[in-house]
Amino acid sequence: MYDIIIIGGGAAGMSAAIYAMRGGMKTLLLEKLSCGGQAARTYEVDNYPGFWNAPEGPKLMEEFEKHAEKFNVEIKSEAVRDIISADGDVKTVKTRRNEYQTRTIIIATGASPKKLGVPGEAELAGAGVSYCATCDGAFFKGQDTVVIGGGNTAVEDALYLAGFCEHVFIMNRSKRFRASQVLMDKAKENPKITIYTDMVADSFEGTQRLERVMARNVITGEKGFISAAGVIVAIGISPENTVARKCGAELCERGFVKTDMYLATNVKGIFAAGDCRVSPLRQIVTAAADGAIAATSAINYVLQG
């Protein structure tokens, strides 16, 4: 029997594990892949307080994991399929291989990149179409690459790719960018980056690999294409909410888990933290804070029970 089971090993999950172990709770962290979450796929982190030297995302998350291991948190690589008796005093977390009983659960399942849903996207995924610049960018070394999106992630990806690609094209569907002014200034000053506004991708084309991105100006309707070896789709995220939905946690219209100020869901003894929950900001620093709050709330729940 565990006091707390944490589902997800990203920044929120790792932070929760640290606080839970420091609180004397018997804790299990379940992560279906490898720990680190979206942060581990980030090229450079220059906004996490205290880490002024802008560490690579994977390196920062290694430090998170080492910190959790310092407190001997139990980490298992298993995908959670369901939660049985979610509203009971004892909850059962079911994976493909095992079942674990616990008093409380922290859902920190994160989010995954959104798809465009255009022709050729699914067919060329992994063959030029990617959602992670740091994962796949090296495949496009010395070649032209397109980044689709207007947020921080898209511009960060473009700056990263400009370090080794021949040229990088940023496509944004409007003139307004959600990226910070600092990042936009860097992109505009980089001679290897060209920014296209009011432009969307209608399809991806190529025989065995991506060869061109078919584009359209949303204002004039003019159509054309950009020849490219790779495209990074960076248009936002969708919450990983399967487990939360199955256990009866309330979701917002966009699918994110609703919580109160203590990060409790509407299901007794179940909390949510990080990118999977409703939040005005999704950054590593807010995920880590979420983990601390959720773990503290879970600890109080166990002690009061």
Side-chain angles (χ1 to χ4, degrees), residues 118-126 129 131 204:
V118 300
E121 182 177 16
E123 293 81 354
L124 293 171
V129 175
Y131 305 88
F204 301 130

mmCIF file of all heavy atoms in Angstrom, residues 118-126 129 131 204:
data_model
loop_
_atom_site.group_PDB
_atom_site.id
_atom_site.type_symbol
_atom_site.label_atom_id
_atom_site.label_comp_id
_atom_site.label_asym_id
_atom_site.label_seq_id
_atom_site.Cartn_x
_atom_site.Cartn_y
_atom_site.Cartn_z
ATOM 1 N N VAL A 118 -3.319 17.936 -41.629
ATOM 2 C CA VAL A 118 -3.349 18.210 -43.078
ATOM 3 C C VAL A 118 -2.865 16.981 -43.848
ATOM 4 O O VAL A 118 -2.191 16.104 -43.296
ATOM 5 C CB VAL A 118 -2.469 19.427 -43.428
ATOM 6 C CG1 VAL A 118 -2.971 20.666 -42.704
ATOM 7 C CG2 VAL A 118 -1.002 19.167 -43.096
ATOM 8 N N PRO A 119 -3.206 16.882 -45.135
ATOM 9 C CA PRO A 119 -2.759 15.753 -45.954
ATOM 10 C C PRO A 119 -1.233 15.616 -45.939
ATOM 11 O O PRO A 119 -0.509 16.611 -46.015
ATOM 12 C CB PRO A 119 -3.267 16.110 -47.350
ATOM 13 C CG PRO A 119 -4.459 16.971 -47.108
ATOM 14 C CD PRO A 119 -4.120 17.778 -45.892
ATOM 15 N N GLY A 120 -0.776 14.397 -45.809
ATOM 16 C CA GLY A 120 0.651 14.109 -45.827
ATOM 17 C C GLY A 120 1.310 14.130 -44.464
ATOM 18 O O GLY A 120 2.418 13.617 -44.301
ATOM 19 N N GLU A 121 0.616 14.675 -43.463
ATOM 20 C CA GLU A 121 1.231 14.783 -42.136
ATOM 21 C C GLU A 121 1.468 13.405 -41.524
ATOM 22 O O GLU A 121 2.580 13.099 -41.072
ATOM 23 C CB GLU A 121 0.362 15.621 -41.214
ATOM 24 C CG GLU A 121 0.956 15.830 -39.825
ATOM 25 C CD GLU A 121 0.108 16.736 -38.951
ATOM 26 O OE1 GLU A 121 -1.085 16.953 -39.297
ATOM 27 O OE2 GLU A 121 0.614 17.220 -37.923
ATOM 28 N N ALA A 122 0.442 12.588 -41.493
ATOM 29 C CA ALA A 122 0.577 11.256 -40.901
ATOM 30 C C ALA A 122 1.506 10.373 -41.718
ATOM 31 O O ALA A 122 2.334 9.634 -41.172
ATOM 32 C CB ALA A 122 -0.793 10.600 -40.780
ATOM 33 N N GLU A 123 1.387 10.469 -43.056
ATOM 34 C CA GLU A 123 2.182 9.612 -43.940
ATOM 35 C C GLU A 123 3.680 9.920 -43.840
ATOM 36 O O GLU A 123 4.517 9.025 -43.969
ATOM 37 C CB GLU A 123 1.730 9.786 -45.394
ATOM 38 C CG GLU A 123 0.322 9.276 -45.686
ATOM 39 C CD GLU A 123 -0.760 10.258 -45.292
ATOM 40 O OE1 GLU A 123 -0.461 11.313 -44.685
ATOM 41 O OE2 GLU A 123 -1.939 9.968 -45.596
ATOM 42 N N LEU A 124 4.031 11.194 -43.607
ATOM 43 C CA LEU A 124 5.446 11.591 -43.586
ATOM 44 C C LEU A 124 5.972 11.834 -42.171
ATOM 45 O O LEU A 124 7.086 12.318 -42.001
ATOM 46 C CB LEU A 124 5.639 12.848 -44.441
ATOM 47 C CG LEU A 124 5.399 12.658 -45.940
ATOM 48 C CD1 LEU A 124 5.406 13.992 -46.662
ATOM 49 C CD2 LEU A 124 6.452 11.728 -46.536
ATOM 50 N N ALA A 125 5.172 11.472 -41.176
ATOM 51 C CA ALA A 125 5.641 11.582 -39.793
ATOM 52 C C ALA A 125 6.847 10.668 -39.599
ATOM 53 O O ALA A 125 6.805 9.486 -39.936
ATOM 54 C CB ALA A 125 4.532 11.195 -38.823
ATOM 55 N N GLY A 126 7.929 11.241 -39.107
ATOM 56 C CA GLY A 126 9.157 10.467 -38.948
ATOM 57 C C GLY A 126 9.987 10.407 -40.214
ATOM 58 O O GLY A 126 11.084 9.840 -40.219
ATOM 59 N N VAL A 129 8.549 15.016 -41.231
ATOM 60 C CA VAL A 129 7.581 15.730 -40.387
ATOM 61 C C VAL A 129 7.841 15.361 -38.928
ATOM 62 O O VAL A 129 7.843 14.183 -38.569
ATOM 63 C CB VAL A 129 6.130 15.377 -40.768
ATOM 64 C CG1 VAL A 129 5.149 16.045 -39.805
ATOM 65 C CG2 VAL A 129 5.835 15.811 -42.196
ATOM 66 N N TYR A 131 7.728 16.830 -34.515
ATOM 67 C CA TYR A 131 7.123 17.704 -33.515
ATOM 68 C C TYR A 131 8.137 18.062 -32.428
ATOM 69 O O TYR A 131 7.777 18.655 -31.424
ATOM 70 C CB TYR A 131 5.899 17.015 -32.889
ATOM 71 C CG TYR A 131 4.899 16.586 -33.945
ATOM 72 C CD1 TYR A 131 4.998 15.347 -34.565
ATOM 73 C CD2 TYR A 131 3.886 17.449 -34.362
ATOM 74 C CE1 TYR A 131 4.122 14.971 -35.574
ATOM 75 C CE2 TYR A 131 2.999 17.090 -35.361
ATOM 76 C CZ TYR A 131 3.134 15.851 -35.966
ATOM 77 O OH TYR A 131 2.264 15.473 -36.978
ATOM 78 N N PHE A 204 1.656 18.432 -46.777
ATOM 79 C CA PHE A 204 3.073 18.086 -46.877
ATOM 80 C C PHE A 204 3.215 17.081 -48.009
ATOM 81 O O PHE A 204 2.429 16.119 -48.089
ATOM 82 C CB PHE A 204 3.580 17.473 -45.567
ATOM 83 C CG PHE A 204 3.421 18.379 -44.377
ATOM 84 C CD1 PHE A 204 2.830 17.913 -43.214
ATOM 85 C CD2 PHE A 204 3.851 19.694 -44.418
ATOM 86 C CE1 PHE A 204 2.681 18.739 -42.107
ATOM 87 C CE2 PHE A 204 3.702 20.533 -43.322
ATOM 88 C CZ PHE A 204 3.121 20.056 -42.167
#
